[in-house]
Each structure stands twice: as C-alpha cells, then as structure tokens.
Amino acid sequence: KPTGTWTHLQYISAFLQPFLPNIPGEYDLAAQYLGVADTLVHKVNAKYKVAWNHTDYATQHPNPKLDRRIYTNVDYVVSVSESCTEAFRRMYPAFSQKAVTVENCLARELIERKSLLPAAGMYREAGETVLLSVGRFCEAKNFEAIPKICTVLLKRGLSVKWYILGYGDRETQIREAIQAVHMEDFVVLLGKKENPYPYIRMCDIYVQPSVYEGKCVAVREAQLLGKPVIITDFSTAHSQLRDGTDGMIAPLDFDGFTDALAALIQDNEKQEALKAACRSTDFTQYKEAEKILRFAEGRESYAEDISSGALKASSHRPFTTLKSYLSMTALPMQAPYCARGSKKRTAAYAFCISQTAASAVRETQVCLRQAGHSSALSMPMTPYRRHFLKRFCRRLSSITVILFSATSYA
C-alpha cells in the first residue's frame, strides 16, 4: 500500500475537508505551490489551476486514486525540472499533456544583498575548509551521513568544519549520529535561519548529500553566489548542474561520495574553475516566470479533453486541505470560520501536526492565545465527525494529530 509523508498529507487533505471554507473571490489563475492541491481544486474559483511538484514523483509513493481525483481537475502540473516532469509522466501517462516544466527563479540582486549580512555562529580558522549543507532535516537530505563522512576526511589529514543549516523532524537522529562518532567540534547544526545567504557566502564548498531531490533551490543559490558545489548522483542530478563545469556530481554511495569530496577539497584549481563557471552563468531563470503568465492565456485543449471524456472529471465528493502543509505545521490560521444555524456549538479548535505530542500541544496553545479564544478551525462537532476524526488519527503512524474541542456561544 502507498505509505510515506506524501501519502499522509493526502489523507490529511481528504479527511479535513468538512472544516474548510471556500476561498473568496474569482481568479484568472490559481496555483498551489506547496502540498497536496485539494484546496486549489475544490475551494478556489479560478479559470486556470496549476499544481506544483518539487521532487522526483516516483520517490513519493502516493495514493494514485487520490492523485487522480486532483490532477483530473487541474489544468497544469508544474515540475521544477525536466527530469521531474518525465518522472511524473511515467507515473501518470494519462496526464502527460498537463505536465510542464517551470524552473525555479532566483532574485540575484536580493540574494547578493542579503548575503552581505553577518553569519552568526559560523567561524573560520586558519587553514580550515568550511563545508555547508542546507535543507530540511528529513530522510531525503541524508544529513545523518555527514558525521561519518567528516571522520573519514579528518583521518585523511584534511582540516574541515561542516555546518548544517536547517530544521526538521530528523534533528534528533542527526545529533545522535554526530555524538556517535564524536564529531561535535567538526559538525555544527546552525538551526533554522531566515536568511541562509551569509552562510553560503562564507563557506568554501557547498555540499548536498541527498538521496533524492527535485531541483534543489539551495544548490542553485550557492552557484549564484559563486561557490563550488558537489552533489550526489540522485536521479535528477544531471538536470541540477553541468557535471565538471559548474559543479560536481559524485557517486551516491558513501565511499564514492567521500572520495569525490576529499578530491575536490584538495584540488584548489578545480574549485576556482567551478567558481568562474558559476559567476559567468545566469541562474536567475527569469524567463521561466513568463511561462506562469502564459498559463492564464490558457490551453483550451485541456478543457476540450475533459468535456470529451478523454480526461473524465471525478464524480467523487470533493476533498479539501488546509492551505498547505506548512500552514498546518505553523498554525497561522487567523480568521475563524463558524458554521451557522446554532447559537451553541461545539467547535474543533485546532489541528496541529508535529512529530511529538508535547510540541503539538505547545504550538496549538500558542495558536489559541493568538486567536484570542476564536477558533482556528471551527465547525459543529457532530457524533459522526468525532468518530470520523478518531478513525483518521489512528491511521497515521508518524504524525501526531491533536484535536482540541470546546463549547462556545455565539
């Protein structure tokens, strides 16, 4: 059966639909840039709808039935690289005509200006090579391998310090990996930073040891700032950079990647050549933004395909989601929504998604205090819905969902 984070998000999107209002207004173009696109499909009134895919879809192990209900009802499925687009087409050939590529766009002037600010917590000692990796602390980024790689580099006589910038649910595993090989002085977790660019500017080599990616924005940002970049040979790696020209692609296995990284650290001429290639390349991809504008002009064949039955619209009841997975994690929902028809009603005050119940409670309490007794999500709690939600919570193994209920008066 389909399993994994993406599948969990699909189920969350499906089961939360009774609690969400429509997004007001009419739009020429609507896009859901993150998360499952249920809200886009069922809660937004737009002439054209665009769903975004940021990774190699074959690695997500989605529930195809839920996916088809969504992609049948969007006009475009955007992937961030040609490799990701082809992976999506292989998985869902019926939606091949909808699959398009829009590269990530970068604002050079903004990134360069922000990179000049201080990089708090990052230090350089004489003769030391500073390595940096940026990303979510998740399985895909493979940051748990960094401490062991670092031990090998040190045993080979290389003076290195490796900084990791980011946050996520695998922080505990990364810290345990650091402690297991006693690399506390050489592998440093910087935590979450709103501005990563000063850290990229200060590093000598940017390293991305991922096991899979779509098109990593941090890699492009490092290239834009003129840094030598080395990445693993994940399935979409060759769409990320030009191997040996503006970056290096190393084998995915531990020994092969460690050897390639050690060779790059010792080869100053290669580092300078990579820097020069990056400085002479335009990584902004501003032309890609024009594709988004052209979406609003429409490709009427899509509507014709649906009306003719080539892409038959789903007859199932609509499914919805919170604005995005990030919205649910941070709980920024402000405007309360209450069902009408009863002065006294029991409300589902908040859903909070977290790896631990304790952090879920803290985040939800913060949300409720900010809302000032107004519910973040408010709908009548019928016996059916209560039973429905209990079943839903039992289905999720790695995500804690907490439902706060209270009685309120209009």
Side-chain angles (χ1 to χ4, degrees), residues 19 32 41 74 101 106 179 188 250 262 333 366:
F19 298 92
Q32 181 142 344
V41 169
V74 300
T101 302
L106 300 178
Q179 294 168 3
V188 180
M333 309 289 286
V366 169

Side-chain angles (χ1 to χ4, degrees), residues 326-375:
L326 297 181
S327 296
M328 290 191 292
T329 305
L331 286 175
M333 309 289 286
Q334 297 296 328
Y337 173 74
C338 297
R340 300 173 182 175
S342 174
K343 290 185 177 181
K344 182 178 178 180
R345 53 185 175 270
T346 302
Y349 263 176
F351 281 93
C352 183
I353 296 178
S354 176
Q355 290 302 310
T356 65
S359 62
V361 170
R362 286 195 302 271
E363 292 168 6
T364 305
Q365 288 173 339
V366 169
C367 171
L368 294 177
R369 283 198 299 270
Q370 291 175 345
H373 189 64
S374 296
S375 58

Side-chain angles (χ1 to χ4, degrees), residues 18-32:
F19 298 92
L20 299 177
N22 292 329
I23 294 176
E26 297 181 4
Y27 305 89
D28 295 310
L29 177 68
Q32 181 142 344

Side-chain angles (χ1 to χ4, degrees), residues 228-229 244-248 264 270-279:
V229 169
T245 301
D246 59 8
M248 302 293 295
L264 181 59
K270 187 62 176 178
Q271 291 183 41
E272 292 302 319
L274 295 176
K275 291 179 184 179
C278 288
R279 293 191 190 103

Side-chain angles (χ1 to χ4, degrees), residues 146-216:
I146 288 177
K148 287 187 178 179
I149 297 174
C150 202
T151 61
V152 176
L153 297 177
L154 292 170
K155 287 178 181 178
R156 295 184 183 183
L158 301 176
S159 178
V160 298
K161 181 166 285 188
W162 200 324
Y163 291 92
I164 308 175
L165 194 155
Y167 73 106
D169 56 7
R170 297 189 71 85
E171 180 174 345
T172 300
Q173 291 89 329
I174 297 171
R175 291 190 182 278
E176 289 174 351
I178 293 172
Q179 294 168 3
V181 292
H182 310 292
M183 286 288 106
E184 292 89 345
D185 294 333
F186 303 99
V187 180
V188 180
L189 300 187
L190 292 168
K192 180 181 179 181
K193 303 293 182 182
E194 291 185 6
N195 179 13
Y197 306 122
Y199 301 90
I200 297 176
R201 179 178 57 83
M202 277 194 63
C203 78
D204 295 307
I205 299 174
Y206 182 85
V207 186
Q208 197 71 40
S210 303
V211 292
Y212 64 85
E213 287 280 358
K215 195 153 192 177
C216 183

Side-chain angles (χ1 to χ4, degrees), residues 237-303:
H238 289 272
S239 68
Q240 182 80 67
L241 52 77
R242 295 171 292 167
D243 185 24
T245 301
D246 59 8
M248 302 293 295
I249 299 177
L252 194 57
D253 65 279
F254 179 88
D255 292 334
F257 183 77
T258 304
D259 291 342
L261 177 56
L264 181 59
I265 292 172
Q266 298 174 86
D267 192 342
N268 291 327
E269 289 187 7
K270 187 62 176 178
Q271 291 183 41
E272 292 302 319
L274 295 176
K275 291 179 184 179
C278 288
R279 293 191 190 103
S280 63
T281 303
D282 180 15
F283 293 107
T284 59
Q285 299 284 3
Y286 287 148
K287 65 181 184 299
E288 296 296 301
E290 297 177 3
K291 295 182 181 179
I292 301 173
L293 297 177
R294 289 202 297 271
F295 290 159
E297 298 172 2
R299 207 184 287 175
E300 296 300 328
S301 60
Y302 291 152

